[in-house]
Amino acid sequence: MKFETYQTEDFFDELFFENGEPRACAKPLIDTINELPDGELQRRQKTAEASFMDTGITFAVYGNKDGAEKIIPFDVIPRIVDAKTWENLEKGLKQRTEAMNCFLNDIYGEQKILRDKVIPENLIYTCTAFRKECIGLVPQRKIWAHITGTDLVRDKDGTFYVLEDNMRCPSGVSYVLQNRRILKQTFPKVFSKCAIRPVDEYTTKLREMLEYLAPDTTDNPKAVVLTPGVYNSAYFEHSFLSQQMGIELVSGNDLIVKDNKVYEKTTQGLVQVHVIYRRIDDEFLDPMTFRKDSLLGVAGLFEAYKAGNVALANAPGCGVADDKAIYTYVPDIIKYYLGEDNIIPNVPTFVCENPVKMNHVISNIDKMVVKAVSESGGYGMLVGPHATEKEREEFKEKIKANPRNYIAQPMISLSRVPTITENGFEGRHVDLRPYIIQGKDIYVIPGGLTRVALKKGSVVVNSSQGGGGKDTWVIAPDKGAPEQGQSIKFMQHQQQQQQQERRN
Amino acid sequence: MLSRVADSLFWISRYIERAENTARIIDVNLNLMLDLPGEERLFEPIIKSAGCSEIFYNKYTKATAENVMDFLTFDTDNQDSIINCVSIARENARCIRETITLEMWMLINKFYHRLYDKKIKEEMLNNPHNFFTEIKEFCQLYVGIQDGTMSHGIGWNFAWLGRMLERADQTSRILDVKYFMLLPDISMVGMTLDTVQWTALLKSVSAFEMFRKTYANVTPQNVSEFLILNKEFPRSVYYCLEHAERALKNIINHQKTDNGKKSMRVIGKLKSILEFSTVDEIILHGLHETIDEIQLRLSDFNVSIYNDFINCVWKI
């Protein structure tokens, strides 16, 4: 399989220029693939898939009783981001994260931004993710959204836009780590030629952040990961992260609250827990405060949290910041709190709550992507140009019935990455979700999850809708000595950092 | 260690041990069938010792080799079929994926997928001996990998405890059922058929070779002594109890709390009864009665483990 006939077809291609030449950062990879004997790439693709199956990175197919399980489709051709592009993205993501944290502190505190009329008050109070229980609450270290994932897309001219913020413990980072593990086995030689920034640091950063949140009353903080259980579609990730961090994975039944303190039930009695990385939605966290019928959470957890005896990551109430209607105000939020212009632009968005904009959306629905503000995972959305007349009409009615629930964006012509298909390499549309950890400082994983719409022409990348994954390579800034190999440089870099920290 | 995690480790071991025992019994009886042409009732005691006659005869009219193999291996209605044992073990392993090692997980996971392979039944029927050997080897490999890759702390000891209890239970059960089924008529004692069957019994717990090194004659008395009281054979009831006690001691020592003292008494009592009994006394008392008592006490022990470690009344 070779790239000789590969076409970019008037889209922005992450690995190739329009004239068919590979971009500088992609050249070592493209050359390597072109040199492979016939069938070798497909063989490596199969090995990669088998590795997912053997290590159990699978999900059960619902309604299938014969034990069949599937892997999330994976394509071995990575997306590559050059150092300079990444530098700018990283700056932009940090800026956004910082501003959003100010916003959350303000919105559950003094609400200055509402009084100054930067954001309309009713937008907050009609947001389903706004938790009135959290008003007046100050979480440990004043951090709300500790782990976030920001969905980025790239348009025809190569500009990155923020498509969506995910503040409610977004999943997928385990795939980033696994994809990398597998690609290192697939293209070992390319790794030694390029300075690809490693991603393994993520779990160390994650644990550091969790322990940083522990109440000051303890010298020996105990952090755990709280999962809704083995049937959750992200269960693999919960168990993988806790294993990689070396902390326990618990379910609601393993925890108990006494005197506003959280304990885990062990073979030697109760042991106090100080920090919970919870992968359960707000509503299910505590049947005494939120949904009464929740069997997943822990009774009394919210009171313990309010008393400051346990930290929750992410803090309950975070979701208000990733509401799709609040999203349109993020540039204003950044300006308001940081006094800066936003570095990564938003996709222009029409909030249907505004009657003028709603009418514009309805009359241009064939050019728009319409999304329900409270849904995720690619559900409740309409891709106007690809929809049938009947679907469009149905959506118009839905919008008119509940305008607050809908936003619309012009169709972005998503960038593409070459992908293995039955007909050789073809471009497929991708987005990018970098993961960000906010603790003592802000850490952005170099790269993130590249989701790819595997169906020809499709722009919906969600795994529930036929999407798959790719590894994302970020090239290290100092390209001075690529022949030296990334591992040596990485170790030198770490050594320097440690020395510096000791001096500080 | 989280109680739930300890519980899972305990049960993974039990289920894998159970799968191994089932594979052994089937394999030995298939072999025996070749020595006893025309004997059709060989597989009945297997169903009985597995304690699932009712479910079996609801589905099948006759205990033929093929029916029994299918029922004990692939029938998901049979709670203890090999495929169910492996599935439950895997489900438990998935729940504590972060606690066990990658190698342990990959082994269980791969084997689970193998049992759900579409062609696997055909493979079993074409060459049952190879198939059941593969199952036995998988189970032994699991024990070996666990032993060699997991720290021998609290969790590992819970796994060991589970394995020893399951083994004690299986050995006593096999002995009990065979004891009745093997003696259709008192006049047959000591005849060839009898000897062949007692030998098969030994083989089904993989004990024949070791038995031979201790005893010259395959008699019911010798076999019972070996399988209940022998102190060195790793599948004798006594051996299993002694090692269960050791595992429990290790857990208590690791934890430095009072949890487990009650279980210690229960297992200690049972072990000393066997320690100071002779096989003559057992037979005088009645083999079946003795085994009944062992099983009752094993089940008490299980309950006290559960109360001591898994579902304690939570006090601060």
Side-chain angles (χ1 to χ4, degrees):
Chain A
M1 217 163 164
K2 309 225 182 313
F3 281 104
E4 284 151 6
T5 58
Y6 182 68
Q7 297 290 326
T8 60
E9 295 176 320
D10 206 22
F11 289 102
F12 185 92
D13 196 281
E14 300 285 349
L15 303 192
F16 286 90
F17 291 111
E18 276 163 59
N19 64 7
E21 284 297 311
R23 294 176 191 277
C25 57
K27 195 153 189 318
L29 175 74
I30 304 298
D31 289 349
T32 304
I33 292 175
N34 279 334
E35 282 161 20
L36 289 178
D38 267 354
E40 176 62 15
L41 188 68
Q42 290 92 323
R43 197 189 59 75
R44 291 185 189 182
Q45 168 78 25
K46 284 232 159 61
T47 311
E49 284 167 4
S51 171
F52 276 103
M53 197 72 186
D54 289 348
T55 46
I57 312 175
T58 50
F59 59 92
V61 183
Y62 288 108
N64 201 338
K65 270 197 171 169
D66 63 1
E69 296 186 358
K70 279 191 171 166
I71 60 167
I72 291 191
F74 174 71
D75 184 82
V76 293
I77 310 295
R79 176 228 213 107
I80 307 178
V81 185
D82 65 73
K84 221 178 138 214
T85 308
W86 183 255
E87 198 187 339
N88 190 50
L89 284 179
E90 186 175 313
K91 229 189 263 166
L93 291 168
K94 285 185 173 170
Q95 176 198 51
R96 208 169 168 99
T97 306
E98 202 187 333
M100 288 303 222
N101 200 51
C102 297
F103 171 69
L104 283 162
N105 271 313
D106 187 23
I107 215 75
Y108 288 112
E110 296 178 66
Q111 302 197 328
K112 279 194 242 163
I113 197 165
L114 300 185
R115 275 189 275 126
D116 290 342
K117 308 239 182 281
V118 178
I119 293 179
E121 205 168 283
N122 70 325
L123 210 55
I124 300 294
Y125 295 124
T126 53
C127 171
T128 48
F130 180 75
R131 302 261 163 258
K132 56 182 188 318
E133 295 86 352
C134 297
I135 295 174
L137 241 161
V138 183
Q140 295 288 345
R141 322 279 172 212
K142 291 192 173 172
I143 306 168
W144 290 77
H146 312 85
I147 301 127
T148 53
T150 305
D151 290 346
L152 303 173
V153 292
R154 204 168 195 187
D155 202 0
K156 216 174 224 172
D157 63 356
T159 313
F160 273 101
Y161 292 92
V162 174
L163 184 68
E164 210 171 287
D165 299 286
N166 295 286
M167 320 289 275
R168 298 174 235 194
C169 299
S171 59
V173 73
S174 57
Y175 291 102
V176 176
L177 304 177
Q178 290 291 343
N179 292 352
R180 177 58 57 86
R181 181 178 66 82
I182 284 165
L183 271 220
K184 278 194 206 157
Q185 293 163 8
T186 313
F187 299 118
K189 281 189 185 151
V190 184
F191 273 84
S192 57
K193 274 188 235 162
C194 306
I196 301 160
R197 291 180 60 188
V199 290
D200 289 343
E201 225 188 342
Y202 182 85
T203 49
T204 310
K205 293 280 180 190
L206 185 58
R207 180 165 175 172
E208 261 172 33
M209 179 276 289
L210 292 174
E211 289 180 348
Y212 171 68
L213 300 180
D216 290 323
T217 45
T218 176
D219 299 330
N220 195 8
K222 185 174 185 67
V224 297
V225 179
L226 174 61
T227 172
V230 71
Y231 298 106
N232 185 276
S233 57
Y235 177 77
F236 165 72
E237 172 152 312
H238 308 160
S239 111
F240 177 76
L241 288 178
S242 62
Q243 184 198 34
Q244 292 295 308
M245 284 191 282
I247 68 178
E248 274 170 325
L249 177 68
V250 304
S251 57
N253 282 332
D254 296 324
L255 299 179
I256 190 170
V257 177
K258 287 197 166 180
D259 303 328
N260 280 344
K261 288 183 180 140
V262 184
Y263 298 89
E264 58 172 17
K265 303 171 186 170
T266 79
T267 52
Q268 48 193 320
L270 298 178
V271 174
Q272 197 182 342
V273 170
H274 305 99
V275 184
I276 301 176
Y277 175 22
R278 48 96 175 197
R279 297 294 299 255
I280 296 182
D281 291 343
D282 283 0
E283 294 93 322
F284 294 95
L285 214 44
D286 179 355
M288 285 164 79
T289 307
F290 304 109
R291 276 180 70 153
K292 307 272 176 283
D293 61 342
S294 168
L295 299 172
L296 304 174
V298 187
L301 180 58
F302 193 71
E303 285 301 315
Y305 168 67
K306 262 165 76 178
N309 291 329
V310 69
L312 296 173
N314 292 356
C318 263
V320 65
D322 71 11
D323 184 277
K324 291 190 174 77
I326 301 287
Y327 159 86
T328 48
Y329 291 92
V330 174
D332 304 315
I333 288 174
I334 293 173
K335 189 93 194 165
Y336 184 78
Y337 294 109
L338 308 181
E340 298 168 8
D341 290 327
N342 54 321
I343 298 171
I344 313 175
N346 269 5
V347 177
T349 302
F350 302 91
V351 183
C352 295
E353 206 199 11
N354 179 328
V356 181
K357 301 218 163 130
M358 181 181 91
N359 286 334
H360 177 81
V361 170
I362 287 187
S363 40
N364 292 289
I365 200 159
D366 56 328
K367 295 177 206 110
M368 301 250 179
V369 178
V370 187
K371 294 176 181 171
V373 292
S374 51
E375 303 245 17
S376 60
Y379 292 102
M381 77 188 250
L382 175 92
V383 182
H386 297 175
T388 64
E389 193 54 40
K390 189 165 164 263
E391 286 167 336
R392 285 181 204 148
E393 289 305 317
E394 277 170 13
F395 244 80
K396 284 185 191 169
E397 291 311 312
K398 282 192 198 169
I399 295 169
K400 283 182 202 157
N402 185 7
R404 167 68 178 89
N405 198 36
Y406 291 95
I407 57 154
Q409 293 163 336
M411 178 95 173
I412 299 244
S413 166
L414 299 188
S415 64
R416 305 201 309 182
V417 179
T419 299
I420 300 175
T421 74
E422 283 168 6
N423 315 316
F425 293 111
E426 285 182 8
R428 289 289 184 267
H429 296 291
V430 294
D431 77 350
L432 175 61
R433 178 185 284 183
Y435 295 86
I436 303 148
I437 296 174
Q438 186 178 200
K440 210 171 188 172
D441 40 33
I442 298 174
Y443 165 80
V444 183
I445 197 169
L449 185 63
T450 291
R451 297 186 298 176
V452 51
L454 292 168
K455 270 185 247 154
K456 192 169 188 157
S458 168
V459 289
V460 185
V461 295
N462 306 78
S463 61
S464 50
Q465 317 277 321
K470 277 174 174 288
D471 193 16
T472 313
W473 292 357
V474 171
I475 306 298
D478 172 26
K479 290 260 284 172
E483 69 278 7
Q484 202 177 9
Q486 54 156 345
S487 55
I488 299 172
K489 271 202 323 209
F490 178 65
M491 275 161 58
Q492 285 171 345
H493 177 70
Q494 288 236 309
Q495 245 169 11
Q496 280 169 3
Q497 255 186 351
Q498 278 167 5
Q499 280 165 0
Q500 203 161 15
E501 265 167 34
R502 245 175 263 142
R503 260 181 256 131
N504 294 343
Chain B
M1 159 157 290
L2 277 178
S3 296
R4 175 180 54 84
V5 174
D7 196 39
S8 283
L9 280 163
F10 181 85
W11 282 105
I12 293 172
S13 287
R14 287 201 75 149
Y15 276 107
I16 287 185
E17 186 70 25
R18 201 170 286 177
E20 182 183 344
N21 271 292
T22 307
R24 269 176 204 291
I25 294 174
I26 300 175
D27 193 30
V28 167
N29 279 280
L30 287 172
N31 201 11
L32 188 59
M33 217 164 62
L34 305 178
D35 285 333
L36 303 170
E39 173 59 85
E40 286 183 345
R41 297 177 53 217
L42 272 179
F43 285 87
E44 278 172 27
I46 303 184
I47 295 294
K48 193 161 184 204
S49 87
C52 46
S53 306
E54 203 176 312
I55 316 169
F56 182 82
Y57 288 107
N58 275 339
K59 300 190 87 169
Y60 307 92
T61 46
K62 253 180 125 182
T64 62
E66 202 167 306
N67 285 348
V68 171
M69 265 199 288
D70 189 51
F71 179 74
L72 292 181
T73 313
F74 291 115
D75 196 328
T76 46
D77 290 338
N78 170 17
Q79 199 189 317
D80 292 330
S81 65
I82 292 174
I83 204 164
N84 272 357
C85 285
V86 174
S87 300
I88 297 170
R90 177 183 183 257
E91 204 54 22
N92 271 287
R94 223 156 79 82
C95 290
I96 57 165
R97 177 61 196 82
E98 79 296 345
T99 307
I100 58 174
T101 61
L102 178 66
E103 286 170 60
M104 286 162 75
W105 162 247
M106 276 178 61
L107 178 74
I108 297 190
N109 188 46
K110 272 188 183 174
F111 202 69
Y112 167 86
H113 288 303
R114 168 126 176 83
L115 285 182
Y116 275 101
D117 191 296
K118 286 197 181 72
K119 288 189 190 135
I120 192 92
K121 233 181 226 187
E122 210 181 302
E123 245 179 79
M124 173 184 79
L125 294 174
N126 285 343
N127 196 339
H129 177 67
N130 277 5
F131 175 78
F132 290 108
T133 303
E134 191 188 333
I135 292 185
K136 281 189 285 187
E137 283 173 357
F138 150 72
C139 298
Q140 290 166 336
L141 193 55
Y142 178 80
V143 176
I145 289 180
Q146 172 163 280
D147 204 59
T149 63
M150 189 178 174
S151 293
H152 290 201
I154 297 175
W156 184 87
N157 276 291
F158 268 103
W160 189 24
L161 182 62
R163 190 160 66 249
M164 288 300 126
L165 286 183
E166 182 66 25
R167 213 178 257 180
D169 186 59
Q170 293 283 346
T171 302
S172 67
R173 210 181 269 235
I174 289 172
L175 191 58
D176 192 29
V177 175
K178 285 276 179 179
Y179 187 73
F180 277 105
M181 299 307 287
L182 284 179
L183 299 168
D185 183 343
I186 196 73
S187 66
M188 290 173 81
V189 175
M191 292 175 64
T192 327
L193 172 68
D194 192 46
T195 311
V196 168
Q197 298 213 1
W198 280 103
T199 305
L201 186 152
L202 284 169
K203 283 185 178 163
S204 68
V205 288
S206 192
F208 182 68
E209 288 168 47
M210 291 300 132
F211 175 87
R212 262 291 196 252
K213 294 192 197 304
T214 319
Y215 302 94
N217 296 320
V218 183
T219 65
Q221 195 149 353
N222 285 348
V223 174
S224 303
E225 184 174 71
F226 190 69
L227 290 187
I228 299 179
L229 300 178
N230 190 283
K231 298 206 159 119
E232 289 160 0
F233 182 63
R235 292 181 180 275
S236 85
V237 177
Y238 179 82
Y239 180 96
C240 294
L241 292 179
E242 201 199 329
H243 281 255
E245 190 187 28
R246 278 195 209 173
L248 182 58
K249 259 187 204 157
N250 288 347
I251 293 167
I252 293 172
N253 288 344
H254 271 287
Q255 300 211 136
K256 304 184 184 80
T257 59
D258 273 350
N259 292 20
K261 292 276 153 74
K262 180 160 178 280
S263 305
M264 206 63 210
R265 269 203 315 275
V266 179
I267 189 91
K269 243 185 211 169
L270 174 55
K271 197 194 79 176
S272 36
I273 292 175
L274 295 187
E275 192 170 8
F276 301 110
S277 296
T278 64
V279 71
D280 294 331
E281 281 168 358
I282 288 176
I283 287 178
L284 196 68
H285 180 61
L287 181 61
H288 174 68
E289 286 71 15
T290 308
I291 289 175
D292 243 11
E293 203 180 319
I294 293 175
Q295 294 218 331
L296 271 177
R297 282 176 190 259
L298 279 176
S299 130
D300 278 355
F301 181 58
N302 234 333
V303 172
S304 82
I305 290 283
Y306 198 76
N307 288 337
D308 278 350
F309 299 104
I310 311 301
N311 197 19
C312 352
V313 178
W314 300 106
K315 283 176 275 178
I316 296 179

